[in-house]
Amino acid sequence: MTSRPVLANTREELAGLLADARRSGARVAFVPTMGALHDGHASLMRTAREATSGPVVVSIFVNPMQFAPTEDLDRYPRTLDADLEVCAAEGVDVVFAPSVEEMYPGGFSHDSVHDGVTVAPGTLATILDGESRPGHFDGVLTVVAKLFGLVRPDVAVFGQKDYQQLALIRRMVRDLCMGIEVVGSETVREPDGLALSSRNRYLDAGQRQTAVALSRALRAAQERAPYGVPAARWAAMSILKQAATAGLELDYLALTSPDLGEAPETGEGRILVAARVGTTRLIDNMAITFDRITPDATAGTASAASTTSEGSG
Amino acid sequence: MTSRPVLANTREELAGLLADARRSGARVAFVPTMGALHDGHASLMRTAREATSGPVVVSIFVNPMQFAPTEDLDRYPRTLDADLEVCAAEGVDVVFAPSVEEMYPGGFSHDSVHDGVTVAPGTLATILDGESRPGHFDGVLTVVAKLFGLVRPDVAVFGQKDYQQLALIRRMVRDLCMGIEVVGSETVREPDGLALSSRNRYLDAGQRQTAVALSRALRAAQERAPYGVPAARWAAMSILKQAATAGLELDYLALTSPDLGEAPETGEGRILVAARVGTTRLIDNMAITFDRITPDATAGTASAASTTSEGSG
């Protein structure tokens, strides 16, 4: 299981490696990544490995189209040798690590990419991370469509940590009839709750302490969710406000339905957070189940408190 | 060869019909149409039939997304029974004729379609027909991407008559790495030169006479092309201006490179025309080879005439 995967750097090499599998009708499972692989990615690979007896393909490509010119494209970690070890340990068969030129023939530029054909992500890309990072999801969906075209997977595995991305990929597969099974895999966390992310390595020791406020805020909201949406929001906000004194800069805290619409008064929902710690932008999210339990005779007070917290988000 | 093709109205029926072919590794050839099939379509089907010993699939779908609300969606001809006869005669195996609801689950509306994920065609869709029909190529590429996802063809055949559409589909296949061979098939014409089109049946006898000016103008340009771009344009414009007195309303006459860029001074190019005859919009185009022969000592005069025609287009 720890034999090294075969590395393909070009589309032709990839096509050659997958041709036999295609002819045999084997199911192809695919995990697109930007490299800098950690235990969260390893978990995606295990999910992919369990989904097929055919080939598991991992792509490693830091996609310039999904980074704004002001973002961390240049300093985004590149750790190919270590990444190949992670893939080997998880029984991955093929690693596709193309150059920018290979994925964007003629080279990539933000100015010219929309001269060509791209994927338009629609309104779901205008909220949350899409509001903070205009064009980000155009870049994500366009490169994932390209990768899907090259790999032609039967099943593709994405992390729930990038929840809005996962929702948009599901939407793309549905709206463009791509016929690919999309699996959303549980977020892997550090023992203290911090969601694993390739960007965590940017954090110094103090920032690392501060960053745990994201998952703590989400957990606090989960605990208060039986008392309704405002109570859940208030619980999360009080932790995030505390962390603000240690340098956490909140981008958004959002309570939504599972498909990122308006939060239901009762039932299943999602809570999502994005914040900057130093210059590092972190995101996290969890499932949440809302209810409308009126705590006790002081319900009026609780409601007033909730309304205040609604306004402060 | 004239056994009737199998008709699929749903995605599930289509997937079922193609499953065996996929497993056997047979090449699937695909001809997307809007129905109202004529000899031009039959020619596309023959090209597809020659491209594979596996299944030939024809789709018949009048795609609302590529019609503006003011356009002829409602009166666009629907002739399914006759269409199936055409497909049968050309040895087509599967006809996919989905409902709007099947292709746009939840129904189609121009207001909501961009809420979801669509294909963004880029700058090539902003000129020529794209300038006259804003949003048209968003609709074309989005529905073709959907159909490609459902049919998963190895080769797809399109008519050169819709030359800009063909260029955009080639670009989509390249930019989104769809891995489909796109074949552009020669335009089929009436004996007098009029390009076959499902919209020709809108024309009354007088309009039919006027409409032949499009192909005559293109042929005249071809003949004058050895004398350069302005001379070719002048030849076409003089015929189109004559036809204007009979009610032809020119939309554009464009002389371009083969990929719809600027026309080269010498070498291969394309000439394209769009005009309205009555309420019917017609398009046509031809290959053209430019040169820079100076006719004789009266070159000065010819050049002046050419400059005039440039300004009048």
Side-chain angles (χ1 to χ4, degrees):
Chain A
M1 284 298 273
T2 55
S3 72
R4 254 172 118 79
V6 184
L7 178 63
N9 291 119
T10 68
R11 300 154 175 240
E12 287 66 26
E13 287 166 12
L14 178 68
L17 289 170
L18 292 175
D20 282 345
R22 289 233 178 83
R23 269 193 293 275
S24 76
R27 261 166 84 81
V28 176
F30 179 41
V31 184
T33 81
M34 298 209 300
L37 303 179
H38 49 61
D39 285 351
H41 298 105
S43 158
L44 305 181
M45 294 173 202
R46 281 195 290 280
T47 304
R49 186 66 283 167
E50 284 159 17
T52 182
S53 54
V56 170
V57 181
V58 169
S59 66
I60 297 178
F61 180 62
V62 183
N63 170 35
M65 187 177 169
Q66 72 193 66
F67 289 78
T70 55
E71 288 182 342
D72 59 343
L73 173 65
D74 288 337
R75 71 163 183 155
Y76 197 87
R78 273 94 166 163
T79 59
L80 185 62
D81 286 339
D83 292 349
L84 291 174
E85 295 300 328
V86 175
C87 294
E90 301 302 337
V92 170
D93 301 284
V94 175
V95 171
F96 178 49
S99 65
V100 169
E101 181 73 26
E102 192 70 23
M103 292 302 289
Y104 297 93
F108 176 81
S109 95
H110 281 286
D111 290 338
S112 67
V113 67
H114 289 286
D115 290 355
V117 175
T118 56
V119 177
T123 48
L124 185 53
T126 62
I127 60 171
L128 304 174
D129 284 335
E131 196 173 351
S132 303
R133 306 182 69 186
H136 172 63
F137 289 117
D138 299 65
V140 170
L141 293 195
T142 299
V143 83
V144 170
K146 283 171 180 265
L147 291 167
F148 280 176
L150 296 173
V151 176
R152 289 196 242 160
D154 297 281
V155 53
V157 184
F158 294 83
Q160 291 185 7
K161 197 204 141 236
D162 298 305
Y163 192 81
Q164 189 178 8
Q165 168 179 289
L166 174 62
L168 275 159
I169 285 163
R170 287 191 195 284
R171 181 89 200 230
M172 173 172 75
V173 166
R174 193 183 83 194
D175 287 356
L176 300 185
C177 307
M178 288 175 160
I180 294 165
E181 183 190 344
V182 176
V183 176
S185 192
E186 281 283 343
T187 302
V188 178
R189 300 178 178 282
E190 301 281 4
D192 68 356
L194 180 70
L196 295 199
S197 164
S198 303
R199 289 189 172 95
N200 289 353
R201 65 189 80 186
Y202 298 156
L203 303 171
D204 67 26
Q207 291 169 336
R208 173 66 186 76
Q209 286 296 328
T210 306
V212 77
L214 272 72
S215 57
R216 280 185 51 228
L218 301 185
R219 291 235 196 273
Q222 282 181 321
E223 277 164 31
R224 292 300 291 172
Y227 297 95
V229 174
R233 167 176 272 273
W234 188 86
M237 279 307 297
S238 60
I239 289 173
L240 293 167
K241 280 177 182 168
Q242 251 186 308
T245 64
L248 179 143
E249 208 180 314
L250 184 64
D251 181 357
Y252 63 75
L253 174 74
L255 291 87
T256 71
S257 64
D259 59 358
L260 299 177
E262 201 179 339
E265 288 197 23
T266 62
E268 294 306 305
R270 204 82 193 173
I271 179 162
L272 306 96
V273 65
R276 212 168 282 276
V277 179
T279 57
T280 305
R281 190 170 183 279
L282 301 172
I283 60 175
D284 200 357
N285 71 88
M286 292 182 188
I288 190 166
T289 308
F290 302 114
D291 212 331
R292 275 187 303 189
I293 298 171
T294 305
D296 52 35
T298 65
T301 316
S303 165
S306 301
T307 306
T308 308
S309 74
E310 281 279 86
S312 66
Chain B
M1 284 297 274
T2 56
S3 74
R4 254 174 119 77
V6 183
L7 178 63
N9 291 119
T10 67
R11 301 155 175 237
E12 286 67 25
E13 287 165 12
L14 178 69
L17 289 170
L18 292 176
D20 282 347
R22 290 233 179 81
R23 267 192 295 273
S24 75
R27 260 167 82 81
V28 175
F30 179 43
V31 184
T33 82
M34 298 208 301
L37 302 180
H38 49 62
D39 286 351
H41 297 105
S43 159
L44 305 182
M45 293 173 203
R46 281 194 291 278
T47 303
R49 184 68 285 166
E50 284 158 17
T52 182
S53 55
V56 170
V57 181
V58 169
S59 66
I60 296 178
F61 180 61
V62 182
N63 170 34
M65 188 176 168
Q66 71 193 68
F67 289 80
T70 55
E71 288 181 342
D72 58 344
L73 173 65
D74 289 337
R75 72 163 182 155
Y76 197 88
R78 271 94 167 164
T79 59
L80 185 61
D81 286 340
D83 291 350
L84 291 174
E85 295 300 328
V86 174
C87 294
E90 300 303 337
V92 169
D93 300 284
V94 175
V95 172
F96 178 49
S99 65
V100 169
E101 179 74 27
E102 193 69 22
M103 292 302 289
Y104 297 94
F108 176 81
S109 96
H110 281 287
D111 290 338
S112 67
V113 68
H114 289 285
D115 290 355
V117 175
T118 56
V119 177
T123 48
L124 185 53
T126 61
I127 60 171
L128 304 174
D129 285 334
E131 195 173 351
S132 304
R133 306 181 68 186
H136 172 64
F137 289 118
D138 298 64
V140 170
L141 292 195
T142 299
V143 83
V144 170
K146 283 170 181 264
L147 290 167
F148 280 176
L150 296 173
V151 175
R152 289 196 242 160
D154 297 281
V155 53
V157 184
F158 293 84
Q160 290 185 8
K161 199 205 138 235
D162 297 305
Y163 191 81
Q164 189 177 7
Q165 168 179 288
L166 174 61
L168 276 159
I169 284 163
R170 286 191 197 283
R171 180 90 201 232
M172 173 172 76
V173 165
R174 192 183 82 193
D175 288 354
L176 300 185
C177 307
M178 288 174 161
I180 294 165
E181 183 191 344
V182 176
V183 176
S185 193
E186 281 283 344
T187 302
V188 178
R189 299 178 178 281
E190 301 282 3
D192 68 356
L194 179 71
L196 295 198
S197 165
S198 303
R199 289 189 171 95
N200 289 352
R201 66 188 78 188
Y202 299 157
L203 303 170
D204 67 27
Q207 291 170 337
R208 173 66 187 75
Q209 286 296 329
T210 306
V212 78
L214 273 72
S215 57
R216 280 186 52 230
L218 300 185
R219 291 234 197 274
Q222 281 179 323
E223 277 163 33
R224 292 299 291 173
Y227 298 95
V229 175
R233 166 176 273 274
W234 187 85
M237 278 307 297
S238 60
I239 289 173
L240 293 167
K241 278 176 182 167
Q242 253 186 306
T245 64
L248 180 143
E249 207 179 313
L250 183 63
D251 181 357
Y252 63 75
L253 173 74
L255 291 85
T256 70
S257 64
D259 59 358
L260 299 177
E262 202 180 338
E265 288 197 21
T266 61
E268 296 304 305
R270 204 83 194 171
I271 179 162
L272 307 96
V273 64
R276 211 168 282 276
V277 178
T279 56
T280 305
R281 190 170 184 280
L282 299 172
I283 60 175
D284 200 356
N285 71 89
M286 291 182 189
I288 190 165
T289 307
F290 302 114
D291 211 331
R292 274 186 303 188
I293 298 172
T294 305
D296 53 35
T298 64
T301 317
S303 164
S306 301
T307 307
T308 308
S309 75
E310 280 280 89
S312 66

